[in-house]
Amino acid sequence: MSQSNKLDAKIPSGPIQEKWDKHKFDSKLINPANKRKFTVIVVGTGLAGGSAAASLAELGYNVLSFCIQDSPRRAHSIAAQGGINAAKNYPNDGDSVWRLFYDTVKGGDYRSREANVYRLAQVSNNIIDQCVSQGVPFAREYGGYLSNRSFGGAQVSRTFYARGQTGQQLLLGAYSSMMKEVNKGNIKVYTRREMVDLVLIDGKARGIVSRNVVTGEMETYVADAVILGTGGYGNAYYLSTNAMASNCSASWRAYKKGAFFANPCFTQIHPTCIPVSGDHQSKLTLMSESLRNDGRVWVPKNKGDKRPPNEIPESERDYYLERIYPSFGNLVPRDVASRNAKFQCDDGKGVGDTGLSVYLDFGDAIKRDGENTIRAKYGNLFEMYERITDDNPYKLPMRIFPAVHYTMGGLWVDYNLMSSIPGLFVLGEANFSDHGANRLGASALMQGLADGYFIIPYTLGQYLAGTKLEKLDTNHDGFKSSLDDSSKHIKKILDVNGSKTADYFHKKLGKAMWDNVGMSRSTESLNKAIEEIPKIRKEFWNDVKIPGDSNQINLELEKAGRVADFLELGELMARDALERKESCGGHFREESQTEENEALRDDDNFCHVAAWEHEGENKVPTRHKEELVFENVKLTQRSYK
């Protein structure tokens, strides 16, 4: 494995407060009449993809929008529950753009690019105004002002929310903006399409190959630029909080065409998930982090205490987050809360039949505020928990345990959100840029909408205005070659005709990932993963069985294609984790921790982004570095005590 430092982030000069405004002014523009001459492909219709498609179409571009679901409304952003951050400081409790910037950089354990994070904080307030104008039903105070609640990693209340359905309501706002442009003819929506390849012409992204998952037909589409808003890769672990259809395939196709993949080892484990109950589950259910506002996390003080929670007196309960982190208490960031839950369970204090859960208790909040108040805040979340577990959280504490949730890694992008492939832009969770090694809660929605509504409309125009693009159609040899390669890949999967399902291999990969590249990693475990995953991959290509053919709806074929990609990405995640010999955020190396079991960074050697370049099948990729420079935030040991 070779290393290089050839990444240019294209960060504008000047004070951080002025970079974005200066960059917008310095960027080339396309006049309104000329915008209609350009076609843009947007893959994904979540918050990033949906907001980008709507915004670009309103500007006058011709937009082709692709989603794997039967409707753009069903993108996984719909599942985000807790809220969206912005620095409006309505509660007058000391918030500001600078504080949001600082909290986000600190929360990411100083492994994100300062300029991108400041811009995110800067445009956050515009997002709220945009969404209110769209009719998003944010919670309001009695006097009509928008309400805020607190979230992990901050000591101010800056999170706007729509009960426990924030992602759904924000997505409907973006969707309504999209549909207005569809009605005007500026957007064409292609549903039930899966992107299976990126088409490069003269080194630039000029289109995609997609598969119609209903008919099996392979289709090609040409454009002047391609935008990916396809989410993260948490399903590499098999069990995660992601939707079953969430996958890495669009990003992985781009990686194989030359786009660098940055920080793949940075995966977030969410502390408040309904625990695993057996080997029958295909996904896990997330309980919103907003519950940690009023819920208190605890375990019995005595190991192996199996009494029902209501029979354990206060004196025999350990509210360990409040004890260890008195300053932040139950609102420590997700990585800190998750690791501490693991420590308690490893120490024999876990609760439930498996011993792999801790309590999230609302008893004190109900006594203090009344059940009706708690019901008004969290009623739909409590109902969901009861439906799944058959326990009433108004009477008994919830049982929670960490699970794979969000991925901070993704395709490398510069300040303009363009990947290392000219003309390929990457938004939201699919890129790596804003969250560092750990995402603070309520920041994913903020980033997705910032990228789509307020950043890509400027940076795309800068690219198109300054790039010479020849007129193309899908008869070009580049499209024919990509189409041929994609068809051969699908045929190769079908021709294996083995004896085991795609799920069998996905579960096997998931176990190897969770055991070895999970909440804590070590040199030994990572080397084990790098040895084990290629064996699973080899077995997959020798023994996977796909019933049916490719000319119809074939869910097993879809799954197999994604599992094939996860089997390659999983190895890259392990390699990246092995090379990063430090602990930071969600990446916890057992060899690098403080005496109090906190993550111990190595700023001298690892204050950089690691971006991997594909070198061909079964070849070790090249690791590139983008050095991170902190001019505005002092690098300090992260503390929430």
Side-chain angles (χ1 to χ4, degrees), residues 234-240 276 278-279 281 356 404 502-521 525-526 528-530 532-533 536 563 566-567 570 574:
N235 276 352
Y237 290 84
Y238 184 68
L239 284 180
S240 83
V276 175
D279 59 6
Q281 288 170 282
L356 292 177
V404 173
D503 274 342
Y504 168 84
F505 295 103
H506 200 174
K507 286 180 180 179
K508 206 167 180 180
L509 170 67
K511 182 169 176 18
M513 292 294 294
W514 182 250
D515 289 348
N516 302 304
V517 201
M519 262 196 282
S520 67
R521 298 104 185 253
S525 75
L526 293 168
K528 185 178 178 184
I530 292 169
E532 195 173 326
I533 293 170
I536 302 171
V563 172
F566 282 136
L567 283 164

Side-chain angles (χ1 to χ4, degrees), residues 250-269:
S251 292
W252 199 246
R253 297 288 181 268
Y255 166 72
K256 286 190 159 185
K257 285 295 181 76
F260 293 174
F261 208 114
N263 298 335
C265 76
F266 287 171
T267 53
Q268 181 171 73
I269 313 293

Side-chain angles (χ1 to χ4, degrees), residues 129-151:
D129 296 337
Q130 169 95 358
C131 294
V132 168
S133 298
Q134 291 172 334
V136 172
F138 287 122
R140 294 180 180 265
E141 304 291 351
Y142 179 75
Y145 291 105
L146 295 182
S147 183
N148 289 112
R149 58 188 177 200
S150 50
F151 249 62

Side-chain angles (χ1 to χ4, degrees), residues 91-103:
N92 198 28
D93 58 358
D95 202 11
S96 64
V97 167
W98 190 269
R99 189 177 293 278
L100 176 53
F101 158 63
Y102 171 78
D103 285 347

Side-chain angles (χ1 to χ4, degrees), residues 153-221:
Q155 291 179 303
V156 295
S157 295
R158 64 162 66 101
T159 304
F160 295 78
Y161 62 99
R163 211 175 178 203
Q165 306 169 354
T166 314
Q168 178 178 353
Q169 299 301 334
L170 293 173
L171 185 65
L172 289 172
Y175 172 74
S176 64
S177 295
M178 267 187 71
M179 288 301 105
K180 173 168 67 75
E181 296 304 315
V182 170
N183 193 49
K184 289 162 63 176
N186 296 333
I187 298 178
K188 291 182 180 177
V189 178
Y190 296 89
T191 61
R192 306 295 283 157
R193 299 312 201 279
E194 181 164 26
M195 175 180 157
V196 293
D197 203 8
L198 176 71
V199 180
L200 303 187
I201 308 293
D202 297 328
K204 302 180 184 72
R206 294 302 306 272
I208 65 168
V209 179
S210 78
R211 179 175 179 269
N212 183 323
V213 299
V214 176
T215 66
E217 185 179 355
M218 303 290 280
E219 303 165 342
T220 52
Y221 299 89

